Amino acid sequence: MIDDETRYRAVDSRDARFDGVFFTAVTSTGIYCRPSCPAVTPKRANCTFYPTAAAAQGAGFRACRRCRPDSVPGSPEWNHRADLVGRAMRLIGDGVVDREGVAGLATRLGYSARQLQRQLTAELGAGPIALARAQRAQAARLLLQTTELPVTEVAFAAGFASVRQFNDTVREVYDRTPSGLRAEGQARGSRRPQRASPGSLSLRLAYRGPIDTEHLMDFLALRAVPGVEEVVPAGPKGVRSYRRTLRLPNGYAIAEVDGLGTGVPADRGWLDCRLWLTDLRDLTTAVHRLRALFDLDADPQTVAEQLGRDTALGPLVARRPGLRSPGHVDPHELAVRAVLGQQITVAAARTLAGRLAARYGTPLSGGTTSRPEAGGGPSGTLTVLFPSAEALATADPADLAMPVSRQNALRGLCGALSAGTVRLDPGVDREQAAGQLLGLRGIGPWTVGYLRMRALGDPDVFLPGDVGVRHGLQRLGLPGDPKAAALAALDWAPWRSYAVHQLWALTGEQTTVE
């Protein structure tokens, strides 16, 4: 927890590490800003601090046109908090309020709507409707300033129930009409609105601190499932791109995210992203899931301060600043792939997953494997959506090239996921999910830990039985046996997931013992 005087010092020094952690409202101007806003620092007496943009908006403040506080990374607090507020914020970010309403959000969390409203308002200064509304406003601004979609289509694509609600929100948040906001973006030199095919968008994914995209691309390339995802080799500027298909609530998408090119500073602040959506209502959900995949809301400097003090890990942290702990875009997909990878190498698991994707995946419609340069569909090797849990629960045993025990484990897991007896959505209680998974036959501690780390975004998971972790520890001169390793890793809490990735990056290995 930080006090208001610390917040003001961060504002005075324009410390970008706090962007998204809190927002500064200036009573003399009626606007709210990110802490790193380049404008003249306001007087302390004129500053009020809010934990969320929604709270500042609810108090009557408008977003600053200079620093665009609505486009900052999310607070890293929501990554590691396992309480009601943290779980609710992850679900709101995934678009649950837009799809299911406050009642649906409350049901997923196991609380009444009134309890949820009271707790969110007490801690964040805004309830679920206001938080979702702020998210819609950001999506609307993005669509207005980066596409030529008619304003009416933007309203519904951003998640608003009516054009009137959309107009009122844009005026209140940005002090502009939708057409005025679009014109302002063009006048400020924003990228020209696209004339590409419907659903085609270019955007920037903001992050804080440095980022090690080489590790991210290496990690994802090693595990890329043929037909579902790929990492495109670097071109003349040294930029590698990750591409994949996404199954979304209203349709599907193909996403491309670029790493940082040669000579680009690691703390540039954003990754370039392109999305092709079959339904623009899925924009917010797609962006949220890509942010989780690349761990863009993390605070790498806080992680580095903790792990860097360790005599063994410190040199690794210094050598790879900004290393992230990748999440995933689809927890069910990751759960299936974790079971497929039991007792085999990553490469073998990738091959097996590719075969299942080709046999049981959903083919992309509309010929998306060919892409005219001027606004057509995506290109490359992406042809299918990864199979659903329902499809794999009844898969032909002849297609499952694995021991019978693992076939049974896969079917049991897929059956539990499709029936809802095991939940892996962003708002699930991590301890409860771990218990449910361990109750399934063939699911052991490694699989549960791996899913907690990547599917549920837990930053404090250690995998003492992993062969790559063991070899990494031994190269550092630490004991590699699981019991001693788990004991040594206690000093790395609450960032043990990042320590695991440091060890994997050191050895280039990851296999299981289950």
Side-chain angles (χ1 to χ4, degrees):
M1 298 295 292
I2 55 177
D3 58 28
D4 284 354
E5 295 310 313
T6 302
R7 293 185 180 97
Y8 186 73
R9 287 197 296 272
V11 171
D12 191 38
S13 62
R14 296 177 176 81
D15 194 334
R17 292 179 300 170
F18 292 93
D19 287 354
V21 177
F22 68 87
F23 297 84
T24 306
V26 185
T27 56
S28 57
T29 62
I31 65 171
Y32 73 94
C33 302
R34 61 171 78 193
S36 66
C37 182
V40 175
T41 303
K43 294 179 180 179
R44 172 66 185 87
N46 294 335
C47 293
T48 304
F49 303 103
Y50 292 95
T52 61
Q57 293 167 17
F61 293 93
R62 305 183 308 276
C64 174
R65 297 176 199 156
R66 188 168 181 183
C67 72
R68 291 181 175 176
D70 60 328
S71 63
V72 299
S75 172
E77 200 171 355
W78 314 134
N79 283 1
H80 60 80
R81 280 183 56 170
D83 61 359
L84 172 62
V85 173
R87 293 163 55 206
M89 289 298 286
R90 290 193 287 272
L91 283 173
I92 292 169
D94 198 54
V96 167
V97 172
D98 293 335
R99 296 193 299 270
E100 303 174 22
V102 176
L105 175 67
T107 298
R108 283 175 176 255
L109 294 168
Y111 286 77
S112 71
R114 181 176 295 179
Q115 289 174 311
L116 180 61
Q117 171 77 25
R118 185 167 55 245
Q119 192 147 342
L120 289 178
T121 302
E123 183 159 345
L124 304 179
I129 292 177
L131 292 163
R133 176 175 172 268
Q135 189 167 266
R136 290 186 209 114
Q138 180 184 357
R141 182 184 63 78
L142 178 67
L143 290 169
L144 285 168
Q145 296 184 343
T146 63
T147 76
E148 291 186 332
L149 283 174
V151 170
T152 302
E153 291 185 31
V154 169
F156 294 109
F160 290 93
S162 69
V163 174
R164 180 177 179 179
Q165 183 189 72
F166 164 70
N167 288 334
D168 291 344
T169 297
V170 170
R171 285 194 188 96
E172 185 177 334
V173 173
Y174 298 108
D175 194 30
R176 287 286 186 274
T177 63
S179 57
L181 187 60
R182 170 170 278 170
E184 182 185 73
Q186 296 172 11
R188 289 181 50 165
S190 296
R191 287 162 290 180
R192 297 178 63 183
Q194 301 162 7
R195 298 179 182 273
S197 57
S200 176
L201 297 167
S202 292
L203 58 149
R204 290 174 172 178
L205 303 178
Y207 63 86
R208 63 172 55 81
I211 189 169
D212 183 351
T213 57
E214 281 302 300
H215 169 257
L216 285 166
M217 293 298 168
D218 289 344
F219 183 86
L220 295 171
L222 184 63
R223 294 156 180 80
V225 176
V228 175
E229 55 187 340
E230 65 177 352
V231 172
V232 181
K237 295 183 179 180
V239 176
R240 298 163 73 191
S241 300
Y242 173 75
R243 306 177 69 246
R244 72 156 292 142
T245 62
L246 299 173
R247 188 187 301 274
L248 296 166
N250 299 298
Y252 69 84
I254 290 181
E256 295 182 356
V257 179
D258 295 339
L260 299 179
T262 304
V264 176
D267 59 354
R268 180 179 71 173
W270 78 86
L271 300 180
D272 288 314
C273 172
R274 294 163 297 283
L275 279 171
W276 288 266
L277 295 154
T278 60
D279 193 318
L280 281 170
R281 291 176 297 172
D282 287 324
L283 171 62
T284 296
T285 301
V287 169
H288 179 79
R289 294 180 183 181
L290 288 170
R291 295 190 63 80
L293 173 64
F294 284 87
D295 193 24
L296 297 183
D297 291 330
D299 183 353
Q301 290 171 300
T302 298
V303 175
E305 287 172 6
Q306 171 75 11
L307 300 184
R309 289 195 293 265
D310 186 85
T311 55
L313 275 184
L316 300 184
V317 174
R319 193 157 64 236
R320 302 201 76 124
L323 184 139
R324 305 297 169 118
S325 177
H328 206 272
V329 296
D330 186 337
H332 288 194
E333 175 187 326
L334 185 67
V336 168
R337 291 169 61 172
V339 173
L340 296 180
Q342 290 177 356
Q343 296 182 327
I344 59 176
T345 65
V346 173
R350 181 184 66 229
T351 300
L352 179 55
R355 291 173 183 163
L356 291 178
R359 177 71 176 84
Y360 294 99
T362 305
L364 300 184
S365 60
T368 55
T369 54
S370 63
R371 170 184 168 190
E373 290 302 317
S379 65
T381 63
L382 308 184
T383 57
V384 297
L385 301 172
F386 194 83
S388 66
E390 292 85 353
L392 292 176
T394 57
D396 187 335
D399 295 322
L400 303 178
M402 61 187 77
V404 173
S405 60
R406 205 173 338 136
Q407 290 185 25
N408 293 335
L410 180 63
R411 287 199 194 89
L413 171 68
C414 290
L417 291 173
S418 58
T421 53
V422 171
R423 288 178 49 214
L424 297 176
D425 61 68
V428 73
D429 182 290
R430 290 167 179 160
E431 295 297 335
Q432 181 180 358
Q436 292 170 344
L437 287 166
L438 286 171
L440 299 176
R441 179 175 296 181
I443 306 296
W446 184 92
T447 301
V448 172
Y450 187 69
L451 291 178
R452 283 190 67 145
M453 180 169 65
R454 295 199 60 201
L456 303 182
D458 190 339
D460 195 30
V461 174
F462 190 67
L463 303 174
D466 184 88
V467 173
V469 168
R470 185 186 313 155
H471 290 172
L473 290 169
Q474 290 170 342
R475 286 183 61 172
L476 294 177
L478 298 174
D481 66 280
K483 187 173 293 187
L487 186 62
L490 291 176
D491 290 338
W492 303 335
W495 309 113
R496 284 176 286 188
S497 297
Y498 295 88
V500 167
H501 279 279
Q502 289 285 359
L503 295 171
W504 281 343
L506 176 65
T507 63
E509 295 181 75
Q510 179 212 329
T511 52
T512 74
V513 295
E514 291 180 2

